[in-house]
Amino acid sequence: MGRPRKPLLDRERITTVALELVDERGEFSVPQIAKRLGVQTASVYHHVDGRDGIVELLRERVSEAIDGSTLERGPWDAAMAAWARSYRAAFAAHPRTIPMLMTSPVRAPMVLAQYEAAVTLLLAVGFDNADVMTVIVALENLVLGSALDLAAPDAMWELPDEVTTPRLAEALAAVGPARADAAFDLALEAFLVHCRALLAHTDS
């Protein structure tokens, strides 16, 4: 019998199944991946650098949806805002990957390239080298927190009645369906205001 035109197992298929498992369960194991693909566990290890290697493949897969080209367009603050929105959308599609990826060092070349572009942009407009990573990590905290918020149930507060917490009941009724988006917009603008002030102080 001739060999199949497509290999039965490759890194792309392993990544796809791992992401399916994380989206469903919040976790994955190599034996689970092997079972879903119909192969032996050892066969999976022939294609990846262990579990950590699969985690990095997941990081790359999710991050493929981030438009890094935004960092090359427009004023720095508009570029960072556009990057943040794209970053948020990518992880909001797979929020259960966030805890896993945030506890693992970043090694994926494509992801490191986006960090390099962000650092280059901030340095080019005059941010102090000592402030650059603080700015980027602060933006990531905002983005990933909001991505988790987007995945949260619409009704995050269960009130027994409107008498016990009347002000909270009124505020929840007034917020509207786009609460997560409005909160993200507010936090992003506040972040940019602070960064503009930081940059002005650096230039002075």
Side-chain angles (χ1 to χ4, degrees), residues 11 57 60 63 66 81 100 127 131-132 135 141 143 170:
R11 290 159 68 92
L57 290 173
E60 283 192 331
S63 297
I66 304 174
M100 179 183 302
F127 278 91
D131 293 328
V132 167
V135 168
N141 290 345
V143 164
E170 290 175 3

Side-chain angles (χ1 to χ4, degrees), residues 154-198:
D154 291 335
M156 279 298 296
W157 294 266
E158 293 187 1
L159 310 184
D161 53 61
E162 295 186 0
V163 176
T164 307
T165 53
R167 297 292 180 265
L168 177 57
E170 290 175 3
L172 289 173
V175 72
R179 171 186 58 79
D181 290 333
F184 177 70
D185 290 341
L186 175 64
L188 181 59
E189 182 54 35
F191 167 83
L192 291 172
V193 166
H194 178 78
C195 287
R196 294 181 194 115
L198 180 63

